[in-house]
Structures are given as C-alpha cells and as structure tokens.
Amino acid sequence: MKHARNNELTDRRSAAADAKVALLTAYRTAKTAAEPTQAARQAERISLVEAREARRAERERLKLEELTRHEALAAQEQAAIEAASAAEIEARHSAENARISRVVQDEAARKAERDRRYAARKARQA
C-alpha cells in the first residue's frame, strides 16, 4: 500500500534532511560511545607493534652474534691452516738442511778416508 498522503517536493526535502540529521547524530553518538574501546584497541595495536619490533631486534641481534661467531671460527680455522702450512714449510726446510749437512759430513768423511789411505800409501812407500 502506498502512502496515502501526497508528498510535495518540500516535504520530501525536509524528510531527507531530517534523515541526514538523524544519521549524523547516530554516527556521532556511536563514535563517542566507541572512543574508549577505540583507545584500547589503539593501545593494543601499539603494544603489538612494539612487541613485534622487539622480536625483530632480538632476531637481528642473534643473527649478528651468529655471524660474528662464524667469522671468529673462520678466522681461527684460517690461522690454524696458516700455522700448519708454516710448520710444514719449516719442517721441509729443516729436513732439507739436515740432508745437506749429512751430505757435507759424508763428503768430509769420504775425503778424510781418502786422505788417510793416501797418507798410509805414502808412508809404506817411504
């Protein structure tokens, strides 16, 4: 059933304006009623963001510590490798020097034996 009364343009305009005012007042009352819960939600969001940032900072700190530990281990391994290499080179040099000194001693012993035989032969001939 349609409205029985005849709505004129001014009546429709005033009804629309009244509806707008009613919607605006309802919105304002809902907004003022929701302010405490909105503040609580905002505070909760802020605390969540702060907790998230704290966890991220902790993760970054742990990553940095792990990276530093790995770098220290790598440096220790490199130092151990270099020390082993230096020790091996030193062992090679000492072995080479020992071999050279044995060769020189053997040569001197051979010479001394040759000189002794020569002296003994000269002594027999004289």
Side-chain angles (χ1 to χ4, degrees):
M1 176 163 124
K2 291 190 174 183
H3 294 289
R5 64 183 191 161
N6 188 7
N7 284 341
E8 293 293 321
L9 178 64
T10 56
D11 294 335
R12 290 193 311 259
R13 278 182 146 177
S14 67
D18 291 341
K20 271 187 180 180
V21 168
L23 282 174
L24 186 59
T25 56
Y27 171 74
R28 285 185 181 150
T29 56
K31 187 176 177 183
T32 57
E35 270 184 22
T37 58
Q38 183 181 8
R41 281 185 300 183
Q42 184 67 21
E44 183 180 353
R45 285 183 192 139
I46 289 173
S47 67
L48 288 175
V49 167
E50 288 172 350
R52 187 180 307 128
E53 284 297 316
R55 288 190 307 268
R56 184 190 58 76
E58 180 66 17
R59 278 193 312 269
E60 287 181 4
R61 185 186 64 80
L62 290 175
K63 279 183 188 178
L64 184 62
E65 285 178 359
E66 186 71 15
L67 180 65
T68 305
R69 190 175 64 79
H70 280 299
E71 288 175 352
L73 286 176
Q76 287 177 350
E77 289 174 2
Q78 184 66 25
I81 289 170
E82 289 174 0
S85 175
E88 183 181 344
I89 290 171
E90 182 62 32
R92 269 196 224 135
H93 284 305
S94 64
E96 182 72 19
N97 288 340
R99 190 173 59 80
I100 289 171
S101 80
R102 276 194 318 271
V103 167
V104 168
Q105 286 174 355
D106 289 346
E107 186 68 28
R110 238 185 355 263
K111 235 181 200 185
E113 181 62 26
R114 188 187 70 202
D115 289 346
R116 186 192 61 75
R117 283 193 318 254
Y118 179 76
R121 190 173 63 230
K122 285 295 185 178
R124 281 191 310 263
Q125 290 176 358

